[in-house]
Amino acid sequence: MTQRQPSADLDPFRDSSAQEEVPDKLVLGRHASLTLGTDSLVVLDETLAQQQGTSWWSRCCGLLPSNRAQPTRAIPFYNILNAAVNDFDITIHYAQQVSSSMLKSVRVAYPLEKALHTEAGAWVERLLDRSYGASQRKKRIKILINPFGGSGRAQRYYEREIEPIFSAAACELDVERTQYAGHAAELAEKIDVDQYDVLASCSGDGLPHEVFNGLGRRPDARRALKGLAVVQLPCGSGNAMSLNLNGTNSPSIAALAVVKGLETPMDLVSVTQGDTRTLSFLSQALGIIAEADIGTEHLRWMGEARFTYGILVLLLAKAAYPCDIAIQSVMDDKGVIRERHRQATTPSNIIKAFPEEDSSAASEITDESEGLPSLRFGTVQDDLPTGWQLEPFETVGNFYAGNMAMMAADTTFFAAALPSDGCIDVVSISAEISRWKAVQLLLAVANGTLFDLPHVHYWKAEGFRVVPRPRQSKSRRRSLNESREGMIAIDGEKFPFKPFQVEVHRGLGTVLSKSGKIYESPPMK
C-alpha cells in the first residue's frame, strides 16, 4: 500500500510553518463559523435556530413546547470524510450517526467570499490533517462483492451503506462482483498491485480467505501481500475480520473505519495438508467448533443461533475427537501471557514480538519480489521438526487456534491475540469436563472470561501439527456427524479430515485497522 502524505496536493515549496499560522476559527459571514476543536469540528450556524424559530408552533403564543434547533454542533474529526473550497463556497462531507448501527453521508456547504479563498484553503488542509492523521486520504479501492453473501443482501448493503461513505471521502472505486466459488482468488492473483491501495471484500469471511490465497499464489506474493491492504466490509453471516479490525459488523461503520484505517501488518498462517499449502488469516479448528460450524449447515434457517445450538449440543454430549498433537510453544503460562499482552496493548508501548528476541519469522520477508516465504518447519508430510513431539489427546473436545481475538460478535476465544506478534493462539478443552463446566464455557465466551477458566489450556505457538484419528462409535453417537471422521475447519471452510500442520509468518499480510496496532476486542479482564 503506497502511503501518501496528507498534504501531497499542496505546493511542495510552501513554507512548512505556514500551516501553524492558520487560525482555528474560520468566520463565514455574520451568522456562521467553523472552529477546529480538540477532537471535533465545531460548527456555529445561527440560521438553523432562526429558521426553526419561525415555525408556526414557535409563534403560537408560546403555549406549545419549542423544538428549537441548537445553533452549535460538534462533528468528530474521525467522522470528517472530505472538505474542499471552490469558487463560491466551502463544502464539508461527514458521516453522521443516525443509529447505533448506521451512518449516513451528509454534506454541508457555506458561501465563501473570494477574499477568504486562500485562508479557507489552508484551513481545510488543517481540518483534513486533523481528521486523517497518519491515514491515507482518497484511497484507491478494488471492491469485490459476493452477490450471494448475507443471503443475497451484500449488493444492497454496498449501494445503500458503503458506496455513499466511500464516494463522499473521494475514494477511487473499482467494483467487481464474484461469479463463483474461487473467483475472488483468481481476481486477487491477477490484480495490478500498483493500481490499488486496498482490496475490499463485501462479504463474510470467505472472500478474504480467497483473496489472501489468491495473492499468495502470485510469483510476487510478498510484494502483493505487503502492498495491498486486505479489508472486509461486513456483508455476510460471518464477519470476524471486520469485528476485529473495524470494531463492528455494520457495513456503514466499517466503511468509515476503512476510510480512516491505518496500515497494519498482520500475521498469516501456512496450513499444509497433503501436497497443498493454504494461507489462513483467521482460525484452524478440530472438534466442537469445526463441527458446530460446518455440521449445522442444514440448520441455516436458524441464523447465527445454529452455531450456538451446535456448540451446546456437543458440549453437553461430551463429544470427543481423539488426535495426536505437537505444538511448538512459545509460552503456555497464563500469567506471563496476560502480562505480555498488557504491555503490548499499553498505549505508550509498541507491540512486542513473542518471544522478546527477534523471531526468525519476522526476518522471512526480505525480498518483496519473491513468492511465499519458505517453510521453516517443513510440511505435514515431512518428519517432525527438531524439538517437536506428538502427544496423544484421547479426549479432546475442542482444539482451536486463532489469529484474531473474536470469532463472532461477543465471542472472544483468543483474548491475548495480537495482529503481528509472530504467534498463533491455541485453545484446548477436554471433552470430559462436567456439564456444568460446559455451561460455564458458553457463558465465559460471551462475557470475555474464557481465558481465565482453569480447564481451558492456552498456548502462544509458532506452529503445530495435528494428526486426527477416527472416532469410536460411542463418540459418533455424541456428534452432529455420524461418520467416523470428524471435521476440520480453516477460516470457517471445510477441509479434509487428514493430518495438517500450521506455521506462522509474522507480518506477512497487510490490513487496515482503527489503531494500527491492536484488535478491537474487549480488553483482557
Side-chain angles (χ1 to χ4, degrees):
M1 181 175 178
T2 304
Q3 201 69 22
R4 302 175 187 171
Q5 295 301 319
S7 57
D9 295 332
L10 294 185
D11 181 358
F13 301 103
R14 71 185 177 91
D15 183 355
S16 61
S17 64
Q19 200 174 44
E20 299 176 3
E21 300 171 2
V22 178
D24 291 337
K25 188 173 184 178
L26 182 66
V27 179
L28 304 168
R30 293 186 301 168
H31 301 293
S33 66
L34 305 171
T35 304
L36 302 177
T38 303
D39 55 9
S40 61
L41 168 64
V42 180
V43 180
L44 172 63
D45 188 350
E46 295 179 358
T47 59
L48 290 175
Q50 292 171 1
Q51 290 168 1
Q52 267 195 280
T54 58
S55 57
W56 69 269
W57 57 81
S58 67
R59 301 194 303 269
C60 190
C61 304
L63 297 178
L64 297 178
S66 172
N67 193 27
R68 190 178 181 90
Q70 296 298 319
T72 302
R73 52 182 159 165
I75 305 171
F77 288 133
Y78 180 77
N79 288 50
I80 299 292
L81 299 171
N82 198 18
V85 173
N86 59 35
D87 291 339
F88 303 104
D89 58 25
I90 180 172
T91 304
I92 298 173
H93 296 266
Y94 68 96
Q96 183 182 65
Q97 191 96 35
V98 295
S99 72
S100 60
S101 60
M102 176 73 76
L103 298 173
K104 70 174 182 179
S105 173
V106 174
R107 173 185 176 273
V108 294
Y110 292 95
L112 190 67
E113 297 178 6
K114 188 173 182 179
L116 286 176
H117 276 205
T118 301
E119 178 185 346
W123 183 90
V124 161
E125 190 60 31
R126 278 199 68 193
L127 169 64
L128 293 176
D129 278 350
R130 297 284 294 277
S131 300
Y132 277 84
S135 178
Q136 178 185 334
R137 303 183 208 165
K138 300 180 180 180
K139 296 179 174 72
R140 302 170 300 166
I141 308 176
K142 174 71 174 183
I143 299 170
L144 304 181
I145 300 177
N146 177 7
F148 309 105
S151 301
R153 296 189 295 268
Q155 180 70 37
R156 186 165 70 249
Y157 284 144
Y158 174 73
E159 293 173 352
R160 295 183 180 180
E161 299 191 37
I162 296 169
E163 191 276 338
I165 299 290
F166 283 171
S167 293
C171 295
E172 298 178 27
L173 307 178
D174 180 6
V175 182
E176 190 159 351
R177 287 152 191 82
T178 58
Q179 304 299 319
Y180 46 83
H183 191 197
E186 294 175 6
L187 294 172
E189 186 176 5
K190 298 174 183 177
I191 194 171
D192 185 344
V193 176
D194 296 322
Q195 292 299 311
Y196 304 98
D197 305 305
V198 179
L199 184 48
S201 297
C202 292
S203 65
D205 293 312
L207 241 60
H209 174 82
E210 287 192 27
V211 165
F212 278 122
N213 279 279
L215 295 175
R217 292 203 295 255
R218 297 167 60 101
D220 62 344
R222 299 191 216 188
R223 174 174 177 266
L225 288 164
K226 182 177 181 181
L228 268 179
V230 178
V231 304
Q232 181 199 35
L233 296 159
C235 298
S237 56
N239 302 305
M241 186 177 189
S242 179
L243 287 165
N244 282 278
L245 297 170
N246 303 325
T248 182
N249 55 14
S250 159
S252 59
I253 297 176
L256 176 60
V258 169
V259 166
K260 295 301 180 75
L262 298 172
E263 185 177 339
T264 307
M266 189 179 78
D267 298 341
L268 294 178
V269 170
S270 278
V271 180
T272 60
Q273 189 177 57
D275 295 325
T276 66
R277 178 182 182 181
T278 303
L279 288 181
S280 169
F281 76 96
L282 182 60
S283 63
Q284 308 89 45
L286 166 72
I288 288 175
I289 296 297
E291 189 160 348
D293 188 3
I294 300 170
T296 59
E297 287 287 331
H298 63 291
L299 300 175
R300 278 192 172 272
W301 57 269
M302 295 177 64
E304 292 184 357
R306 72 181 176 91
F307 187 67
T308 303
Y309 165 80
I311 291 178
L312 183 61
V313 167
L314 295 167
L315 281 174
L316 296 180
K318 297 187 176 183
Y321 305 83
C323 57
D324 300 317
I325 301 174
I327 300 178
Q328 177 64 15
S329 175
V330 174
M331 61 183 70
D332 59 4
D333 184 298
K334 287 185 177 180
V336 175
I337 293 173
R338 182 192 298 277
E339 177 58 22
R340 295 291 183 87
H341 187 268
R342 185 195 66 78
Q343 293 175 5
T345 54
T346 299
S348 60
N349 288 348
I350 298 176
I351 293 179
K352 287 185 177 181
F354 291 88
E356 288 186 347
E357 63 269 13
D358 290 338
S359 168
S360 57
S363 61
E364 289 176 307
I365 308 172
T366 56
D367 186 346
E368 295 175 9
S369 66
E370 294 182 357
L372 290 177
S374 59
L375 294 170
R376 295 177 294 141
F377 303 131
T379 75
V380 69
Q381 295 181 316
D382 296 327
D383 293 335
L384 274 175
T386 303
W388 291 33
Q389 182 174 350
L390 278 174
E391 297 183 6
F393 283 68
E394 303 294 342
T395 61
V396 65
N398 191 42
F399 183 85
Y400 201 15
N403 195 37
M404 293 184 171
M406 295 182 287
M407 296 295 110
D410 302 317
T411 308
T412 304
F413 271 98
F414 306 104
L418 292 166
S420 184
D421 63 3
C423 291
I424 190 83
D425 289 39
V426 181
V427 167
S428 177
I429 303 168
S430 171
E432 296 301 308
I433 61 174
S434 67
R435 288 179 172 82
W436 168 239
K437 287 183 178 179
V439 173
Q440 283 183 309
L441 277 173
L442 282 179
L443 297 175
V445 169
N447 62 31
T449 59
L450 180 73
F451 179 87
D452 298 311
L453 296 181
H455 44 280
V456 173
H457 303 284
Y458 201 107
W459 294 268
K460 283 277 190 180
E462 291 182 318
F464 60 83
R465 179 180 292 187
V466 176
V467 181
R469 289 189 253 132
R471 296 178 297 171
Q472 302 302 314
S473 58
K474 182 179 180 181
S475 295
R476 298 205 305 274
R477 289 196 300 270
R478 295 173 175 176
S479 171
L480 299 172
N481 170 27
E482 291 301 318
S483 74
R484 294 191 69 208
E485 292 190 346
M487 291 185 176
I488 293 172
I490 308 297
D491 294 351
E493 303 295 322
K494 184 178 180 180
F495 271 57
F497 190 69
K498 297 178 180 179
F500 66 96
Q501 183 164 301
V502 162
E503 178 177 320
V504 182
H505 305 291
R506 186 176 175 214
L508 178 61
T510 302
V511 294
L512 298 180
S513 70
K514 295 181 72 173
S515 70
K517 297 180 180 179
I518 60 177
Y519 290 128
E520 296 299 309
S521 55
M524 292 187 73
K525 297 182 179 180

